[in-house]
Amino acid sequence: MSVLEIRGLHVSVNTENGSVEILKGVDLTIKSGETHAIMGPNGSGKSTLAYSIAGHPKYTITSGSVTLDGADVLDMTVDERAKAGLFLAMQYPVEVPGVSVSNFLRTAATALRGEAPKLRTWVAEVKGAMEALNMDPAFATRNVNEGFSGGEKKRHEIMQLELLKPKMAILDETDSGLDVDALRIVSEGVNRAKVNNDLGVLLITHYTRILKYIKPDFVHVFANGKIVEEGGPDLADKLEANGYADYVSK
Amino acid sequence: MSVLATNYLTPTGREEAWRFTPLKRLRGLHDGTAAVGERNSLVTKAGLPKGASFTRESLDPLAVSDDVIIERIRGEVADVAHLSIDANAEIKEPIFLTRSAGALDSAELSRVRISLGNHAVATVIVENIGDTLLAEDLEISLAPGSSLTFVSLQEFDAKSVYTARHHAVVDKDAVFKSITVTVGGDVVRILPTVEFTAPGASAELLGVYFATTGQFFEHRMHVDHAVPNAKSRVNFKGALAGKDAHTVWIGDVLIRAVAEGTDTYELNRNLLLTDGARADSVPNLEIETGEIVGAGHASTTGRFDDEQLFYLMSRGITLEDARRLVVRGFFNEIITEIGNEEVQERLMERIDGELERAGA
Ligand SMILES: Nc1ncnc2c1ncn2[C@@H]1O[C@H](COP(=O)(O)OP(=O)(O)O)[C@@H](O)[C@H]1O
Ligand SMILES: [Mg+2]
């Protein structure tokens, strides 16, 4: 049983016009097995929250804390956060020219498991993960995210989620750019990871449609750098009907 | 031992061709003060396949050169190490030539010829290793319809000085592909040059170089489109790490008035991995006719991409390993063109080692 605790998180970015505060005090607690949906309009700071937890160098934490099972996440390097059990499925996964998917996955698995996975079981593991997400085997020989379609990038992120077995996953708009079939396949991958690894999920989304496939236990409305309303799954239905207008105008 | 004749014009460093080269570090190769030793270090590494022969013979140069060191070599050395591929021979396995002996207290002046007969197909890999002071005039002739992949590996030890011209003369419908790799030595200066003598010929000049602390690597291309309908591609990628690592890439492409239908593109990309290193990159396209298929060039110099490093590290990969992956990935595009797993992996490990040594 793991707990990710975010307390009073304030985050700024440096711009040409000096430092701008994006997150204005975020409080959130996620436990193993729980799924929390964070919903909010574009520009409200959802990705900033995701990146700040993962440790992207662009963001400066000005106050607050993030802990995983009591350990200070903000004090860790990016790779240490992953080793502690955090995973970020990115809204815009990054291309790494010349590095094949198979090489990348094996390097990551080696880093996270502390030893190189046995070649034979590893090959079967990757093959299984790819089949489960309806991915062409040739995918493994392609360069990381290079020339991938939007859907392929998202499948690749979820394949990593399944292979790398984190404790807590932040999924940043994993649903955007997916057609209905791909959305279902990707959602099933997330649900498998939840069942198999008792995964805690922070599901960031702009739309409610992914919530039909991945059932949230809690829904948080995010606007202007903080959580402005919280509730159960029914809050998503309300957002579906009314949109974010109520929150943005405040 | 003899001392090089000095009746050639000694470069001063003000000439266009020499303006980047640290002449003082050439150990007298350029001004005739280097003592010349009797070494013929180039040897075959394994038995030669059928259709190939390797001999020493007296040969006239294939092409003129305006490089003062090449002139000196030709003035001193009559014997040429000659790898010859018979007409119509199709040799699948690469032919390896390697260096048997090196020395720093005297210079080796080397003349090499690689010649392919009509429609011959071969891959030749030259391994330049050890610590040596070496000046080389390497000429390649491709007869009509022949195809050569020429891999030149500068895997020298730290003190080596190597100055060379690798000149290919490419005849009708012949396909020349070179992969020049420079990862070792104190000063390496190579002139990869190509001259087309009949239409339908093509040349692809690929290369990678990785200079670390204090090393100077210069690659000075010249592609002469002197006939119509020839095609050339140049793609060199370089990385630099450590104080005073310095690389120079010059891409001279000349499309003469007669060279209608020319198709050429040249690209140089540099990755500056630390402060204190310097990459000079000078593409230079001279076009004397407008009747061409295409002519272009691009040159970029960048640093580690923070987004790439973040992505890799977010999967548990350490900063050090992430950098190694990114650098390997950067070079991978060219290195895989060698087509020999053993050589490719050896080079990647050398690149890892250089990166580690430079502390990048
Ligand atoms: N590097 C940056 N420079 C300036 N503004 C930024 C930078 N990064 C993010 N922002 C701003 O921060 C706000 C939140 O962005 P983001 O976290 O991406 O929102 P969301 O994911 O909710 O759409 C936006 O107004 C965006 O313009
Ligand atoms: Mg976003």
Side-chain angles (χ1 to χ4, degrees):
Chain A
M1 171 74 180
S2 287
V3 185
L4 178 68
E5 269 195 284
I6 301 158
R7 287 284 164 270
L9 193 65
H10 288 252
V11 173
S12 299
V13 291
N14 280 319
T15 71
E16 286 146 27
N17 309 321
S19 171
V20 176
E21 182 163 77
I22 311 279
L23 297 189
K24 298 165 179 166
V26 178
D27 293 281
L28 191 59
T29 303
I30 304 168
K31 298 185 178 132
S32 293
E34 293 179 354
T35 297
H36 293 249
I38 288 204
M39 306 192 60
N42 284 330
S44 57
K46 303 183 299 296
S47 290
T48 301
L49 176 64
Y51 278 130
S52 300
I53 297 168
H56 193 292
K58 197 170 85 178
Y59 301 95
T60 309
I61 316 292
T62 51
S63 67
S65 68
V66 178
T67 60
L68 179 63
D69 299 330
D72 184 356
V73 170
L74 299 180
D75 200 35
M76 299 176 190
T77 56
V78 175
D79 60 308
E80 285 168 352
R81 296 179 198 212
K83 282 166 187 143
L86 292 173
F87 180 88
L88 169 60
M90 290 181 207
Q91 185 175 359
Y92 304 109
V94 182
E95 293 182 8
V96 192
V99 177
S100 70
V101 166
S102 72
N103 184 16
F104 165 61
L105 292 175
R106 194 168 161 79
T107 308
T110 302
L112 289 172
R113 297 175 192 184
E115 58 176 0
K118 296 249 184 324
L119 204 52
R120 193 177 320 151
T121 52
W122 173 248
V123 170
E125 214 179 319
V126 173
K127 194 162 164 274
M130 286 178 53
E131 275 170 9
L133 289 162
N134 257 5
M135 293 161 79
D136 183 343
F139 203 82
T141 62
R142 293 171 62 185
N143 292 335
V144 173
N145 292 319
E146 213 176 38
F148 288 16
S149 69
E152 284 172 334
K153 284 183 183 166
K154 298 303 171 72
R155 282 175 209 227
H156 181 228
E157 294 293 283
I158 300 309
M159 174 169 73
Q160 294 169 54
L161 172 69
E162 290 200 73
L163 281 172
L164 302 177
K165 301 182 177 37
K167 294 175 184 155
M168 295 285 164
I170 303 162
L171 311 180
D172 191 2
E173 298 211 21
T174 297
D175 52 337
S176 63
L178 295 182
D179 62 29
V180 182
D181 287 334
L183 181 63
R184 181 179 49 77
I185 289 164
V186 160
S187 300
E188 283 168 6
V190 175
N191 288 330
R192 275 193 301 275
K194 281 172 65 172
V195 171
N196 295 339
N197 309 321
D198 198 24
L199 182 71
V201 177
L202 182 59
L203 182 69
I204 294 173
T205 182
H206 186 72
Y207 304 103
T208 51
R209 61 175 194 156
I210 194 173
L211 305 181
K212 295 192 172 55
Y213 299 94
I214 304 172
K215 297 283 179 212
D217 303 298
F218 306 93
V219 174
H220 311 267
V221 182
F222 208 79
N224 195 21
K226 57 181 180 225
I227 292 168
V228 291
E229 187 167 352
E230 296 180 292
D234 50 325
L235 180 52
D237 299 332
K238 196 178 129 196
L239 287 170
E240 171 83 34
N242 304 341
Y244 297 112
D246 292 353
Y247 306 103
V248 176
S249 56
K250 277 180 200 170
Chain B
M1 285 203 183
S2 67
V3 169
L4 287 172
T6 52
N7 55 337
Y8 303 97
L9 278 180
T10 295
T12 62
R14 285 189 295 275
E15 304 78 2
E16 168 55 36
W18 292 99
R19 68 187 174 108
F20 293 106
T21 318
L23 297 172
K24 288 201 181 81
R25 284 159 64 189
L26 290 179
R27 292 170 177 256
L29 282 181
H30 67 298
D31 62 6
T33 57
V36 177
E38 293 293 321
R39 292 198 298 278
N40 290 313
S41 66
L42 196 66
V43 292
T44 55
K45 198 172 175 182
L48 285 173
K50 202 167 150 285
S53 64
F54 187 66
T55 55
R56 278 185 193 284
E57 57 194 294
S58 175
L59 293 172
D60 286 335
L62 269 184
V64 295
S65 165
D66 57 6
D67 182 83
V68 61
I69 299 181
I70 297 300
E71 287 300 291
R72 283 201 171 113
I73 298 169
R74 290 176 178 181
E76 293 265 325
V77 182
D79 267 4
V80 179
H82 184 194
L83 176 68
S84 174
I85 313 295
D86 295 348
N88 301 310
E90 281 193 33
I91 301 174
K92 296 239 153 45
E93 289 300 305
I95 299 168
F96 280 87
L97 300 177
T98 192
R99 297 287 170 185
S100 60
L104 289 166
D105 57 359
S106 66
E108 175 181 0
L109 304 184
S110 164
R111 286 183 63 196
V112 180
R113 177 77 50 87
I114 298 170
S115 50
L116 276 79
N118 289 346
H119 299 283
V121 179
T123 296
V124 176
I125 300 180
V126 179
E127 299 172 333
N128 284 322
I129 53 173
D131 251 336
T132 191
L133 180 53
L134 176 62
E136 188 158 74
D137 173 17
L138 188 153
E139 292 187 304
I140 299 168
S141 92
L142 283 88
S146 66
S147 170
L148 173 69
T149 299
F150 168 66
V151 181
S152 161
L153 306 174
Q154 280 58 241
E155 298 174 86
F156 292 115
D157 291 340
K159 295 193 176 114
S160 292
V161 176
Y162 179 60
T163 69
R165 186 171 85 140
H166 298 169
H167 184 75
V169 178
V170 188
D171 208 333
K172 188 171 172 47
D173 297 332
V175 179
F176 176 62
K177 174 171 167 181
S178 70
I179 301 151
T180 304
V181 177
T182 302
V183 291
D186 178 45
V187 176
V188 174
R189 182 179 192 267
I190 300 175
L191 317 180
T193 54
V194 174
E195 164 187 350
F196 296 111
T197 54
S202 79
E204 188 178 11
L205 306 182
L206 306 176
V208 301
Y209 47 86
F210 187 2
T212 53
T213 313
Q215 287 176 316
F216 175 85
F217 298 158
E218 174 172 2
H219 297 88
R220 186 174 275 271
M221 251 57 44
H222 190 276
V223 180
D224 189 351
H225 282 271
V227 295
N229 301 319
K231 177 177 170 176
S232 64
R233 290 287 179 274
V234 176
N235 185 3
F236 270 63
K237 292 178 120 178
L240 300 90
K243 192 172 176 312
D244 296 329
H246 185 187
T247 64
V248 175
W249 177 88
I250 311 284
D252 287 333
V253 176
L254 171 59
I255 304 172
R256 294 181 194 261
V258 296
E260 294 185 353
T262 289
D263 178 4
T264 179
Y265 194 84
E266 51 170 347
L267 176 64
N268 176 227
R269 293 181 61 194
N270 291 295
L271 198 50
L272 278 172
L273 302 178
T274 66
D275 289 334
R278 172 178 158 191
D280 288 297
S281 178
V282 188
N284 181 27
L285 205 49
E286 244 178 275
I287 307 178
E288 293 174 356
T289 172
E291 301 299 312
I292 56 171
V293 174
H297 62 73
S299 163
T300 63
T301 297
R303 290 175 179 272
F304 270 124
D305 181 337
D306 280 344
E307 299 298 329
Q308 287 175 9
L309 295 177
F310 172 73
Y311 186 74
L312 296 170
M313 289 178 74
S314 77
R315 273 44 175 161
I317 298 167
T318 60
L319 178 61
E320 199 186 9
D321 285 344
R323 285 180 165 158
R324 196 152 46 213
L325 270 180
V326 168
V327 171
R328 276 186 170 232
F330 176 71
F331 285 132
N332 193 50
E333 176 196 359
I334 308 275
I335 298 277
T336 51
E337 291 288 323
I338 295 171
N340 181 289
E341 290 283 340
E342 200 180 311
V343 169
Q344 288 168 202
E345 192 43 39
R346 185 176 83 205
L347 292 172
M348 284 300 188
E349 277 166 22
R350 174 78 180 243
I351 285 162
D352 287 350
E354 296 291 323
L355 192 62
E356 200 168 326
R357 243 169 18 93

